[in-house]
């Protein structure tokens, strides 16, 4: 049983049982052959069993609400792999003697045993006294065989996967190409960011075809990722390869972060992105985000060019045009207000964002007309948001 929540649930369940059915864990319980019995002396309680205790009986003792019984049970649990998880939990025990005895047992455990219970150790590590086991695991992964850390890279536990990748990056166990692939495909955003930055860090400064070809195995997965932060790392890395012009296609990326990185790379190469955006806006159907990009880096004189695209037949262009007008701080209620009736949900969302600071100037009659049941859901949601922003709560 490797599920950390199962072990933690067992620990809590025994304590709850002690409140609900205390006779099941009491020394006077019967039949004695199936339950724990302990006898007290003047200084320290002694846990005794009618026969050699099994794992189940020791598990109950390790979870017992009485700290002295938990401490005494730890003395019987050494070397029992089936109870190692409960020893981990006891390392964060509130009772000092129990905690210290459990930590002494854990310190003697082999590194592979710690790695096998990494998910539980990290879960217990969130507690106020849980740092000991977590530090022990981290040191074991840093100093142990590389295969030990690599075995945890594909863990289904999020915290374990993050720790394993952090250790692998710090120990430089993974090549840049594998880091780039992990950044592009891993489902966890923390691992994505960690591996993307590490992959870029493996790139050296240089220019020329040879350098770019050498880095292609790293840049290609980053630039092709569906995650904006990973793509932005790949675009930024183009400067190291001396391929500033290759950032131009990312000027119209769907992510504002990637567009900003592409503009930075082009400027470092001596190219002003604003004229490129203006040329794209002449025929934006193939590159709808050109209007948003021009709004992000353009000047006030570009307002008319972007505003003209509010009536473009392509919904993607209309949505980006609203975003561009908002970035230029040139939103006109008269221009944007009709887009609340747009059939495209993306356009209506952008129009709502633009009008929220000016919600009081949008006619209430138009907003109430959008609330009828025959209206699409995105239009009704926009009307509710704007009416609330205007102070209408009925």
């Amino acid at each position: 049983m490797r599920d950390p929540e199962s072990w933690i649930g067992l620990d809590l369940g025994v304590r709850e049982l002690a409140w609900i059915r205390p006779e099941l864990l009491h020394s006077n319980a019967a039949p004695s052959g199936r339950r724990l019995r302990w006898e007290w002396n003047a200084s320290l309680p002694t846990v005794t069993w009618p026969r050699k205790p099994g794992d189940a009986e020791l598990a109950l003792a390790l979870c017992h609400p009485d700290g002295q019984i938990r401490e005494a049970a730890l003395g019987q649990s050494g070397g029992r792999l089936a109870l190692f998880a409960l020893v981990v939990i006891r390392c964060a025990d509130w009772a000092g003697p129990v905690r210290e005895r459990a930590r002494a047992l854990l310190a003697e455990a082999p590194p592979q045993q710690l790695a096998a219970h990494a998910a539980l150790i990290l879960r217990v590590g969130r507690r106020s006294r849980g740092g000991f086991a977590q530090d022990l695991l981290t040191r074991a992964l840093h100093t142990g065989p590389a295969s030990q850390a690599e075995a945890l890279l594909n863990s289904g536990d999020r915290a374990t996967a993050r720790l394993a990748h952090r250790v692998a990056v710090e120990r430089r166990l993974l090549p840049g190409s594998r880091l780039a692939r992990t950044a592009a495909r891993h489902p966890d955003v923390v691992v994505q960011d960690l591996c993307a930055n590490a992959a870029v860090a493996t790139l050296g400064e240089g220019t020329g075809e040879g350098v770019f070809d050498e880095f292609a195995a790293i840049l290609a997965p980053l630039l092709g990722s569906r995650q904006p932060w990973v793509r932005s790392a790949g675009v930024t890395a183009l400067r190291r390869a001396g391929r500033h012009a290759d950032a131009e296609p990312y000027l119209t990326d769907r992510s504002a972060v990637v567009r900003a990185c592409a503009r930075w790379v082009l400027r470092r190469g001596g190219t002003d992105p604003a004229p490129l955006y203006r040329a794209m806006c002449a025929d934006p159907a193939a590159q709808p985000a050109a209007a948003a990009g021009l709004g992000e880096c353009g000047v006030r004189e570009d307002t008319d060019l972007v505003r003209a695209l509010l009536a473009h037949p392509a919904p993607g262009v209309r949505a980006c045009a609203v975003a561009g007008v908002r970035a230029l701080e040139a939103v006109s209620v008269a221009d944007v207000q009709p887009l609340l009736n747009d059939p495209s949900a993306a356009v209506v969302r952008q129009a709502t964002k633009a009008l929220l600071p000016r919600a009081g100037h949008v006619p209430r009659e138009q907003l109430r007309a959008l609330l009828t049941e025959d209206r699409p859901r995105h239009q009704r949601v926009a009307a509710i948001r704007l009416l609330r922003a205007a102070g209408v709560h009925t």
Side-chain angles (χ1 to χ4, degrees):
M1 186 171 63
R2 297 290 176 86
D3 181 17
E5 296 301 330
S6 297
W7 287 108
I8 293 172
L10 172 64
D11 183 43
L12 296 176
V14 173
R15 294 169 187 264
E16 292 178 0
L17 184 64
W19 285 99
I20 301 172
R21 299 283 303 278
E23 71 277 3
L24 295 180
L25 297 177
H26 197 269
S27 59
N28 296 326
S32 60
R34 301 289 294 180
R35 296 180 175 87
L36 291 171
R37 295 197 304 169
W38 53 90
E39 299 174 353
W40 301 84
N41 59 35
S43 57
L44 186 70
T46 302
V47 179
T48 62
W49 287 265
R51 50 184 171 77
K52 184 178 179 180
D55 291 342
E57 293 169 303
L58 274 179
L60 290 176
L62 287 168
C63 302
H64 198 279
D66 192 303
Q68 292 176 311
I69 296 172
R70 295 197 302 275
E71 180 188 1
L74 283 169
Q76 300 283 339
S77 61
R80 299 206 186 194
L81 296 180
L83 300 177
F84 186 79
L86 293 176
V87 176
V88 171
I89 294 176
R90 295 282 70 84
C91 285
D93 201 281
W94 67 270
V98 178
R99 191 167 61 246
E100 295 305 320
R101 192 158 190 176
R103 290 178 177 181
L105 291 173
L106 201 69
E108 299 173 356
Q112 61 270 22
Q113 196 168 347
L114 294 172
H117 292 80
L120 176 63
I121 290 175
L122 295 175
R123 176 67 176 81
V124 174
R126 303 175 193 171
R127 300 180 179 180
S128 59
R129 305 176 185 90
F132 176 84
Q134 185 168 331
D135 293 343
L136 207 61
L137 171 65
T138 304
R139 286 197 301 270
L141 293 178
H142 271 104
T143 59
S147 58
Q148 192 168 268
E150 292 178 359
L152 298 178
L153 292 175
N154 296 321
S155 172
D157 180 69
R158 183 172 58 183
T160 303
R162 289 178 178 179
L163 175 62
H165 281 90
R166 186 166 66 250
V167 171
V169 168
E170 292 172 356
R171 294 184 62 179
R172 299 183 179 180
L173 301 178
L174 305 177
S177 57
R178 181 173 175 182
L179 288 169
R181 291 194 301 270
T182 301
R185 302 170 183 173
H186 203 278
D188 185 67
V189 293
V190 174
V191 174
Q192 292 170 11
D193 186 58
L194 177 68
C195 292
N197 292 332
V200 172
T202 64
L203 299 174
E205 297 284 348
T207 59
E209 293 292 336
V211 173
F212 183 77
D213 292 341
E214 181 182 355
F215 296 159
I218 296 176
L219 293 176
L222 296 179
L223 294 173
S225 173
R226 300 181 62 182
Q227 306 301 326
W229 288 106
V230 178
R231 290 201 306 279
S232 66
V235 172
T236 304
L238 289 171
R239 185 197 65 81
R240 292 196 178 204
R243 301 296 293 257
H244 301 84
D246 287 348
E248 184 175 333
Y250 298 93
L251 287 174
T252 54
D253 192 274
R254 61 184 179 273
S255 167
V257 174
V258 179
R259 294 195 297 268
C261 291
R263 292 194 294 268
W264 176 81
V265 172
L266 286 172
R267 290 190 184 106
R268 295 299 296 267
T271 302
D272 183 7
L276 298 176
Y277 277 126
R278 295 186 186 107
M280 295 175 194
C281 286
D283 185 17
Q287 298 166 313
L294 181 57
E296 291 160 355
C297 72
V299 294
R300 183 70 69 170
E301 288 72 19
D302 295 317
T303 301
D304 291 339
L305 177 58
V306 178
R307 184 178 289 133
L309 299 177
L310 293 174
H312 195 277
V317 176
R318 296 197 300 274
C320 291
V322 178
V325 170
R326 186 160 57 93
L328 287 167
E329 298 181 355
V331 174
S332 168
V333 174
D335 292 332
V336 179
Q337 169 191 329
L339 295 177
L340 293 174
N341 297 283
D342 200 281
S344 169
V347 176
V348 174
R349 281 195 298 269
Q350 289 293 340
T352 304
K353 289 181 183 178
L355 293 174
L356 279 174
R358 304 163 181 80
H361 299 284
V362 181
R364 304 280 177 84
E365 295 75 13
Q366 179 188 0
L367 296 179
R368 294 187 187 280
L370 294 175
L371 293 175
T372 57
E373 293 184 359
D374 60 331
R375 290 284 187 168
R377 182 180 182 276
H378 62 270
Q379 294 181 6
R380 299 201 305 270
V381 171
I384 292 172
R385 292 181 64 190
L386 290 169
L387 284 169
R388 287 178 175 172
V392 179
H393 301 290
T394 58

